[in-house]
Structures are given as C-alpha cells and as structure tokens.
Amino acid sequence: MDIADKAKNAAQDLAGKAKEAIGDATDNERLEAEGRKDQTEAAARKAGENVKDAFKK
C-alpha cells in the first residue's frame, strides 16, 4: 500500500468517525449510518491492500 492510499483510507476513516459522532450528537440516524459505512469501507480497503502487500513479498 502506498502512502497516498494510506492517507486516503485514514482520511475516510476519520471523516466517518466525525460523521458518526455528529449524527449521534444530533440524533441523526442517517448521518450516523453514513459514518459507520465510511469507516467500514476504509477498513475493507486497508485489509485488501494488506492482502496485496502480503502476496507481493
């Protein structure tokens, strides 16, 4: 995984956490769900990149 991908995934994860927190604070279930989705997508991409990296070695 290159630096750009790591940064992009970290940014998406952070944005997801922020959305989830704001949604929780404002009782906005849709925003909370979007935040959890963003975090899940970032984690899935990271796992996929880790698998690719393992096969490259």
Side-chain angles (χ1 to χ4, degrees), residues 36-51:
R36 285 191 297 271
K37 180 182 83 66
D38 288 348
Q39 292 175 63
T40 302
E41 287 176 359
R45 275 198 211 105
K46 182 179 178 184
E49 290 295 329
N50 288 341
V51 169

Side-chain angles (χ1 to χ4, degrees), residues 1-2 11 16-17 19 22-24 26-27 35 38 51 55 57:
M1 178 184 303
D2 68 350
K17 287 178 182 180
K19 279 184 186 179
I22 292 168
D24 185 40
T26 60
D27 290 330
D38 288 348
V51 169
F55 281 106
K57 293 181 180 181

